Amino acid sequence: ADYLGDWQVSDILTGATLRESVFDQASGWRTHAAYGDESSARGFVDASARIAKKTGVVVFRKEIDVGPTDAAHLHLGYDGPVLVRLNAKLIHQGVAGNPALPDHVSVPVNFCHGVNCVEIALDTNNGRACGIFARWEPAAPARKKAAPPCP
């Protein structure tokens, strides 16, 4: 599956700590595209200019239309502590080092049919964090048992 592009990225919440209330406090949204094939970090959403080596939290927000999909995996990479919400429900909390690695974690999710909102709050790790990778793909269907051999 392709990486998610065109994220809304908030202004940095200077001095904020990573807690669920940061999602509601975020403001100053701007669109940031994921790197394409021109970069070795294809799919990376670079917010280093927004972070500007400051301590705090920045929030990434993306609405995705998953159609009739429900069970899926959200594959993430990040370079600092994160909280991840799907449709305003906390689904993942994690810490990773710098640099961010694509598909560092895979989070099983249950989407609502149609449009869903993914939000990632990234602690800037004292200004050292830069951004995220994110993509999703439907969960593999359950394997059916093979029919018994004919007698």
Side-chain angles (χ1 to χ4, degrees):
D2 285 336
Y3 287 95
L4 301 171
D6 295 332
W7 287 77
Q8 294 296 306
V9 181
S10 74
D11 285 337
I12 187 168
L13 296 159
T14 306
T17 57
L18 201 59
R19 60 191 187 288
E20 263 199 278
S21 61
V22 297
F23 292 104
D24 298 325
Q25 296 168 352
S27 63
W29 300 96
R30 292 192 186 140
T31 302
H32 284 254
Y35 289 145
D37 292 331
E38 78 281 359
S39 170
S40 61
R42 185 169 108 29
F44 187 66
V45 183
D46 187 354
S48 56
R50 303 296 305 263
I51 294 168
K53 301 192 183 291
K54 295 178 186 164
T55 298
V57 175
V58 66
V59 178
F60 297 78
R61 181 177 290 156
K62 174 76 176 168
E63 288 190 346
I64 55 175
D65 189 341
V66 300
T69 302
D70 46 20
H73 288 94
L74 186 60
H75 305 291
L76 303 169
Y78 40 85
D79 55 4
V82 295
L83 292 178
V84 182
R85 293 196 322 181
L86 175 63
N87 300 325
K89 180 181 173 191
L90 187 64
I91 60 167
H92 177 71
Q93 184 172 344
V95 177
N98 198 324
L101 301 173
D103 301 347
H104 174 72
V105 297
S106 289
V107 181
V109 297
N110 288 310
F111 286 123
C112 297
H113 289 199
V115 177
N116 291 258
C117 182
V118 176
E119 297 171 297
I120 302 172
L122 173 69
D123 185 300
T124 66
N125 201 16
N126 295 315
R128 293 187 299 269
C130 297
I132 63 164
F133 290 95
R135 66 186 185 90
W136 72 274
E137 62 186 354
R143 295 185 71 177
K144 295 180 181 179
K145 290 184 178 181
C150 296

